[in-house]
Amino acid sequence: MTEQLIDILHKKAKQGPIVGYFGYGSLVNKNTLRTEYIATIPATLKGWQRMWDTPSGDDFDGQSVSLLTVRPNQSKNTKGVVVFDWAENLPLVDAREHNYHRRTINTKELGFENLFDASSHSFYVYEAIENKTLEDERPPLLHSYLDAVLQGFHDVYGSDGIHEFMATTENFHTPILNDRNQPQYPRSVQLNEEQRALIDLILASKADISFIE
């Protein structure tokens, strides 16, 4: 985090309360954000593991799907971004993440303990509500959702960011529903040719990834 950004946050805080929420999936991609947020910065959340799971009640076009979540795991860290936003926008973010619990996290978990007084900002992460009705087979994940996630990591971390995401996210054996040409994800994005080619190449190199139509 730069001194310039800290200065901006201090000035903005005079206009109203500011919060930070950690994005580890689609929230990493600025093209999916729907609030007048203040800034995003790369960050690592300590003690949490990212994985594919199926939040309770979540579906697109009547179909249950697998989405990303994080679960506490003291031996793991998860890379993403912190979105700094106005506290008054939290209900809008909560509505977007309606099948997730908003968990409070602390500055130490983000490595911000030397940058912020613990009382100066509140920080959160969204953890999927456990779906207890699932049978053994997990529903597919959406290619349009994965594209949005990987484009975000590419924009923030470059191609290494995509490779790191693929290597550190659990349950990638979940089948991918190929909806890229008719996106079911409501905040789908447009990939440029370089991004599409890179994502396709990386996905093709993973032996445990399968596609369904």
Side-chain angles (χ1 to χ4, degrees), residues 31 151 183 188-192 195-196:
N31 295 319
Q151 183 189 65
S188 60
V189 300
Q190 293 293 320
L191 302 176
N192 61 39
Q195 292 168 340
R196 181 186 288 260

Side-chain angles (χ1 to χ4, degrees), residues 116-156:
F116 293 106
D117 182 285
S119 63
S120 61
H121 298 289
S122 295
F123 294 95
Y124 305 101
V125 67
Y126 287 88
E127 179 186 7
I129 299 171
E130 186 178 359
N131 192 334
K132 298 182 181 298
T133 64
L134 282 180
E135 299 188 8
D136 292 339
E137 186 174 350
R138 181 176 287 106
L141 59 98
L142 299 178
H143 206 324
S144 57
Y145 174 71
L146 181 59
D147 282 344
V149 173
L150 296 183
Q151 183 189 65
F153 275 87
H154 183 262
D155 289 345
V156 176

Side-chain angles (χ1 to χ4, degrees), residues 7 19 65-66 71-72 77-78 93 116 135 138 146 183 193 197 210:
D7 185 55
V19 298
V65 298
S66 292
R71 304 292 186 195
N77 298 323
T78 294
V93 186
F116 293 106
E135 299 188 8
R138 181 176 287 106
L146 181 59
E193 291 185 7
S210 61

Side-chain angles (χ1 to χ4, degrees), residues 76 151 200:
K76 301 292 184 179
Q151 183 189 65
D200 287 349

